[in-house]
């Protein structure tokens, strides 16, 4: 795989049982690139290690006054320099390629897992940790994967040089052959402590990243409640903890680096001392002494790769562990794909709660717990975050459908939809049936003022479809973002559309028009709306009230207001005391409140008026005054 060939057609199925297994799986899947890097690394290190032999041969030729051997030494030296240049150049290219392709494979795997799990991912893994894994951890994993081949080339070179020195000069070669393994293994006792400190640093950095991510995501809310400084102080403390942990980790690695410098220096002194002793006795020549001395000095270069591989593994192991944890997550139900990949139709039924959404009708679901409503919405979409009975569409369990078929049949828009940056045309360019155009969807979602705002905020954009939307739609208000997301969902025109609080940030007049627009545009299609808004509930064909995770009542909005106190408490935001008082009023004799009939009649009149048309603020106030006078 070359960089220009990215992304991978299929990144594969990772071995996510543990961090080391995941690293080994990545290495095996890049075997071709690793072998190429190993070959160029051997050429590079062998050429560098051959320089001392060439220099020693040239010095001995000068001592012996042999022009032929001096010319031979010069030719070998030139050849070693060429090999060094070629090996270093192509080793760098191969190493960078391995690094980038390994990181790209991990990123594709993480993106695929995020697409598979959807919003369930951030409920099982903190959003900050997902960000950390997909950024810094990916780089560290790629670093270790590519460093393995360079380390292997350096280790093989050291072995070859030691063998060559033993053959070339047995006395000094034996000293080097014994000393080099000691140098390579001397730092092993320090690695566990360095690894632990690196793990602590990475853990604290992950918590700081998570805190920063959460703070930025809720910055507008924090400013509203005056909690910005509080969270900033928390982040400052977390940042200082990361700094202290990084300093502790750096001290250990600096000690390892110092040992890697000190011990080769001691070996070099020992070789020189012993070599001078042998030269004075006439047992070796000057050229041989220069060769051994230069070889030991040059070998400190490949020896540095022992420190690098230890550092790369120490930093990548916790990163791989976190990546494996994310990649090991599965859907709460296993999609076997045993059924054909066709799109089923029929009533939508949830056995866990008893919720039934008849086909072709607008069903509103009222649930007092917003989190439970979000989980139920995901379950209706066929990708639940918890184990449980499968939702049925017709007679087909959604969990037995391939994920793409389930998502085509049932589209879920959660309460916090994301708008990607780009033009409005690109935002609305989604898989769709073709039956609903962009103009109709935008009109149903009441996006007229949104289009005007986009045109005004985009330079040179005369057509609203060419207006640009900033990242996550930050330049728009919450209600404007909701309406654009609703329009995008309406364009897809799925068999079943599930909307979770689609108008929570919209004013009442706009909400009433949206309710009519959605009802009209989705006529003949199954639509499920999770809401507690009376304006939406009054326009639904069927209301399902959930209490403690089960269907407690079914009916129309007005019937449930009069017959179900729990429903009325959720919709009207009554307190427990108000609910109890209302219950006592219902249980009281009919003649106990002679004015109730007048008020009830006035309330029905107001409900009918609001149902017939949308009034302005002055009209509503005037009507309320009339009702009060009548009462």
């Amino acid at each position: 795989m070359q960089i220009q060939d990215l992304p991978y057609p299929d990144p594969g199925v990772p071995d996510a049982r543990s961090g080391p297994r995941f690293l080994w799986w990545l290495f095996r899947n890049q075997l071709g690139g690793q072998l190429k890097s190993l070959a160029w690394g051997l050429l590079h290190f062998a050429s560098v290690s051959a320089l001392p032999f060439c220099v020693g041969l040239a010095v001995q030729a000068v001592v012996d006054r042999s022009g032929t051997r001096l010319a031979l030494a010069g030719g070998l030296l030139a050849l070693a320099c060429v090999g060094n240049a070629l090996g270093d150049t192509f080793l760098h290219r191969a190493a960078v390629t391995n690094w980038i392709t390994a990181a790209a494979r991990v990123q594709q795997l993480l993106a695929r897992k995020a697409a598979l799990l959807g919003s369930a991912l951030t409920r099982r893994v903190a959003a900050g940790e997902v960000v950390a894994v997909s950024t810094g951890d990916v780089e560290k994993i790629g670093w270790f994967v590519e460093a393995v081949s360079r380390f292997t080339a350096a280790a093989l070179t050291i072995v070859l040089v030691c063998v060559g020195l033993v053959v070339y000069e047995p006395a000094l070669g034996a000293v080097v052959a014994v000393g080099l393994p000691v140098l390579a293994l001397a730092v092993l006792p320090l690695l566990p402590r360095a690894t632990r400190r690196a793990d602590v640093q990475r853990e604290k950095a992950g918590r700081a990243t998570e805190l920063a991510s959460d703070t930025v995501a809720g910055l507008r809310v924090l400013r509203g409640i005056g909690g910005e400084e509080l969270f900033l102080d928390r982040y400052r403390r977390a940042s200082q903890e990361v700094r202290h942990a990084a300093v502790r980790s750096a001290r250990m690695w600096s000690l390892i680096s110092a040992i890697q410098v000190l011990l080769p220096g001691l070996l070099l002194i020992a070789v020189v001392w012993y070599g001078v002793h042998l030269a004075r006795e006439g047992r070796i020549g000057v050229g041989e002494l220069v060769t051994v001395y230069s070889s030991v000095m040059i070998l400190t270069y490949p020896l540095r790769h022992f420190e690098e591989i230890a550092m790369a593994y120490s930093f990548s192991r916790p990163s791989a562990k976190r990546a494996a944890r994310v990649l090991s997550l599965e859907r709460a139900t296993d999609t076997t794909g045993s059924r054909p990949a066709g799109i089923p139709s029929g009533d939508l039924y949830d056995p866990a709660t008893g919720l039934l959404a008849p086909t072709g009708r607008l069903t509103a679901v009222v649930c007092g717990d917003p989190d439970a409503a979000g989980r139920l919405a995901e379950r209706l979409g066929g990708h639940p975050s918890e184990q449980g009975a499968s939702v049925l569409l017709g007679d087909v369990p959604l969990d037995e459908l391939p994920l793409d078929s389930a998502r085509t049949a049932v589209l879920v828009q959660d309460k916090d939809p994301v708008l990607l940056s780009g033009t409005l045309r690109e935002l609305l360019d989604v898989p769709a049936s073709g039956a609903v155009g962009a103009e109709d969807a935008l009109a149903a979602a009441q996006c007229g003022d949104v289009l005007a705002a986009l045109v005004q905020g985009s330079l040179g954009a005369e057509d609203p479809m060419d207006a640009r939307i900033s990242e996550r739609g930050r330049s728009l208000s919450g209600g404007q973002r909701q309406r654009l997301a609703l329009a995008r969902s309406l364009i897809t025109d799925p068999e079943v559309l599930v909307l979770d609080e689609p108008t929570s940030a919209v004013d009442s007049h706009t909400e009433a028009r949206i309710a009519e627009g959605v009802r009209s545009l989705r006529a003949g299609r199954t639509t499920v709306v999770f809401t507690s808004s009376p304006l939406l509930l009054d326009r639904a064909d069927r209301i399902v009230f959930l209490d403690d995770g089960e269907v407690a009542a079914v009916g129309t909005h007005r019937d449930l207001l009069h017959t179900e106190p729990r429903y009325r408490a959720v919709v009207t935001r009554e307190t427990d005391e108000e609910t109890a008082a209302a219950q006592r009023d219902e249980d009281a004799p009919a003649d106990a409140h002679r004015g109730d009939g007048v008020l009830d009649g006035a309330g029905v009149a107001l409900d009918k008026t609001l149902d017939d048309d949308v009034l302005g603020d002055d009209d509503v106030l005037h009507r309320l005054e009339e009702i009060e006078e009548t009462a």
Side-chain angles (χ1 to χ4, degrees):
M1 171 63 71
Q2 298 297 318
I3 296 177
Q4 62 265 24
D5 299 327
L6 293 175
Y8 287 94
D10 180 13
V13 180
D15 186 350
R17 289 176 290 177
S18 66
R21 289 178 182 271
F22 179 59
L23 291 174
W24 174 240
W25 178 83
L26 284 174
F27 179 83
R28 287 189 291 108
N29 277 269
Q30 285 191 321
L31 196 56
Q34 297 292 344
L35 292 176
K36 185 184 297 184
S37 179
L38 176 61
W40 290 117
L42 284 174
L43 175 61
H44 170 58
F45 290 122
S47 300
V48 171
S49 301
L51 294 176
F53 290 94
C54 299
V55 172
L57 183 60
V59 170
Q60 193 62 43
V62 172
V63 172
D64 298 337
R65 298 182 180 276
S66 173
T68 303
R69 282 189 292 164
L70 183 60
L72 176 61
L76 292 176
L77 189 62
L79 184 61
C81 290
V82 172
N84 180 22
L86 289 175
D88 192 18
T89 300
F90 288 98
L91 171 62
H92 179 74
R93 289 173 57 90
V96 171
T97 299
N98 289 337
W99 189 337
I100 293 178
T101 52
R105 187 187 295 272
V106 178
Q107 286 178 328
Q108 281 188 247
L109 291 171
L110 291 171
R112 185 173 66 180
K113 183 61 64 175
L116 177 67
L117 296 177
S119 60
L121 175 62
T122 53
R123 282 203 293 270
R124 300 166 70 177
V125 179
E129 183 172 348
V130 176
V131 172
V133 170
S134 58
T135 53
D137 285 340
V138 167
E139 293 184 4
K140 293 180 176 64
I141 292 171
W143 176 29
F144 174 75
V145 171
E146 74 84 13
V148 170
S149 56
R150 288 191 292 112
F151 164 73
T152 304
L156 290 176
T157 301
I158 290 174
V159 172
L160 292 175
V161 171
C162 288
V163 172
L165 287 176
V166 170
V167 173
Y168 180 72
E169 180 49 57
L172 286 177
V175 175
V176 176
V178 172
L180 283 178
V182 174
L183 296 182
L185 302 176
V187 297
L188 287 182
L190 299 176
L191 288 180
R193 182 178 298 180
T195 301
R196 286 194 298 270
R197 292 190 179 185
D199 290 348
V200 171
Q201 176 196 351
R202 192 61 193 86
E203 180 181 354
K204 291 183 179 295
R207 286 202 297 265
T209 303
E210 179 181 346
L211 180 61
S213 176
D214 294 342
T215 302
V216 171
L219 188 58
R220 184 174 299 177
V221 177
L222 291 176
R223 286 175 175 171
I225 62 176
E228 182 180 3
E229 287 300 325
L230 174 63
F231 276 81
L232 287 178
D233 288 339
R234 290 181 182 178
Y235 179 73
R236 290 189 188 101
R237 290 195 297 270
S239 179
Q240 289 302 312
E241 291 179 2
V242 174
R243 185 178 68 84
H244 291 309
V247 170
R248 283 174 50 83
S249 179
R251 286 173 181 169
M252 185 56 64
W253 287 111
S254 63
L255 177 60
I256 293 175
S257 299
I259 291 174
Q260 290 283 303
V261 173
L262 175 63
L263 294 184
L266 295 178
L267 176 61
L268 193 60
I269 293 173
V271 168
V272 171
W273 179 83
Y274 187 53
V276 170
H277 176 71
L278 294 178
R280 291 177 62 182
E281 292 181 352
R283 296 170 57 183
I284 63 172
V286 177
E288 294 171 336
L289 176 60
V290 172
T291 298
V292 177
Y293 166 79
S294 302
S295 297
V296 175
M297 186 174 63
I298 288 294
L299 284 179
T300 57
Y301 170 56
L303 274 175
R304 301 291 295 180
H305 287 75
F306 284 79
E307 176 192 350
E308 181 187 4
I309 196 65
M311 183 180 293
Y313 181 72
S314 298
F315 281 95
S316 66
R317 187 176 62 84
S319 298
K321 180 180 178 181
R322 278 185 291 272
R325 176 170 175 255
V326 174
L327 295 175
S328 64
L329 298 176
E330 297 293 343
R331 294 179 66 200
T333 52
D334 182 27
T335 302
T336 60
S338 57
R339 290 180 177 268
I343 307 302
S345 60
D347 297 342
L348 187 67
Y349 176 68
D350 177 32
T353 60
L355 170 64
L356 174 67
T359 181
R361 301 182 68 184
L362 174 59
T363 301
V365 181
V366 178
C367 181
D369 185 358
D371 294 332
R375 291 192 294 270
L376 176 56
E378 286 193 347
R379 193 160 65 247
L380 293 179
H383 36 279
S385 58
E386 301 172 350
Q387 290 285 353
S390 174
V391 172
L392 302 177
L393 182 57
D395 61 345
V396 179
L398 288 180
D399 294 345
E400 296 184 6
L401 286 175
L403 187 59
D404 55 348
S405 299
R407 286 179 171 173
T408 301
V410 183
L411 174 66
V412 179
Q413 176 183 304
D414 61 20
K415 65 183 65 178
D416 296 313
V418 176
L419 302 182
L420 302 179
S421 59
T423 65
L424 180 59
R425 192 185 310 278
E426 293 170 341
L427 176 69
L428 301 181
D429 184 16
V430 293
S433 66
V436 178
E439 183 177 350
D440 295 334
L442 290 169
Q446 301 299 311
C447 293
D449 62 317
V450 184
L451 300 181
L454 287 175
V455 171
Q456 184 177 3
S458 298
L459 297 177
E462 299 180 358
D463 187 350
M465 299 300 289
D466 295 327
R468 294 200 62 82
I469 300 174
S470 60
E471 181 184 0
R472 292 180 174 267
R474 299 187 189 279
S475 60
L476 303 173
S477 67
Q480 291 173 330
R481 288 195 297 270
Q482 274 192 338
R483 283 178 279 166
L484 283 181
L486 177 60
R488 180 178 59 185
S489 299
L490 293 174
I491 287 176
T492 61
D493 190 36
E495 184 70 25
V496 179
L497 177 61
V498 179
L499 304 172
D500 188 3
E501 295 289 352
T503 59
S504 59
V506 176
D507 64 85
S508 58
H509 300 297
T510 306
E511 187 177 28
R513 292 192 291 268
I514 290 176
E516 290 295 341
V518 172
R519 180 183 177 89
S520 174
L521 197 63
R522 293 288 298 172
R525 292 286 203 178
T526 306
T527 307
V528 180
V529 182
F530 286 81
T531 184
S532 59
S533 168
L535 290 172
L536 287 176
L537 295 173
D538 195 45
R539 287 160 176 77
D541 298 319
R542 191 168 184 267
I543 307 293
V544 178
F545 174 60
L546 299 179
D547 187 45
D548 289 335
E550 295 182 353
V551 174
V554 178
T556 64
H557 173 57
R558 304 192 181 201
D559 290 341
L560 291 178
L561 278 178
H562 292 87
T563 61
E564 182 53 63
R566 293 172 296 176
Y567 173 83
R568 182 171 61 247
V570 173
V571 173
T572 62
R573 278 72 169 177
E574 287 182 353
T575 63
D576 294 339
E577 292 78 4
E578 291 172 338
T579 303
Q583 186 64 41
R584 288 195 301 269
D585 291 343
E586 290 179 359
D587 296 338
D591 60 346
H593 302 284
R594 288 175 295 175
D596 286 355
V598 178
L599 290 175
D600 287 344
V604 171
L606 176 60
D607 285 344
K608 184 176 186 305
T609 303
L610 291 175
D611 187 40
D612 291 339
D613 57 0
V614 179
L615 300 179
D617 292 341
D618 295 338
D619 295 333
V620 173
L621 291 175
H622 180 66
R623 187 59 56 86
L624 288 174
E625 291 174 356
E626 292 179 352
I627 293 172
E628 185 177 357
E629 292 175 359
T630 303

